[in-house]
Amino acid sequence: TANSMQVNYVGILPDLFREGQGIVATGSFSQEVFVASEVLAKHDENYMPPEVAEALEKGMQDGINKMKESAQ
């Protein structure tokens, strides 16, 4: 079973943040509450930011187009 604790954070949470998801937080304890100064969302190794996925797709399309041009 997973352990949990109360974390207080004032600020904008990361776009990937979801309730019940693991996080990485920096901060300090104040009595029995962790007061976070920074919160990062954890993700698995398959995550790719949308702008990187778009750049890869564009690069693949450019490569396909060049191959078609050189085959003619």
Side-chain angles (χ1 to χ4, degrees), residues 26-61:
T26 58
S28 59
F29 277 98
S30 176
Q31 297 179 13
E32 293 187 20
V33 176
F34 187 80
V35 180
S37 56
E38 181 179 29
V39 174
L40 304 172
K42 289 178 71 173
H43 56 76
D44 67 16
E45 66 277 1
N46 297 320
Y47 172 75
M48 186 177 301
E51 56 274 7
V52 173
E54 290 169 10
L56 286 173
E57 179 67 27
K58 182 182 181 319
M60 187 178 349
Q61 283 299 322

Side-chain angles (χ1 to χ4, degrees), residues 6-19:
Q6 182 177 343
V7 177
N8 287 351
Y9 176 70
V10 176
I12 299 172
L13 290 169
D15 290 340
L16 296 176
F17 180 82
R18 290 184 306 278
E19 187 74 28

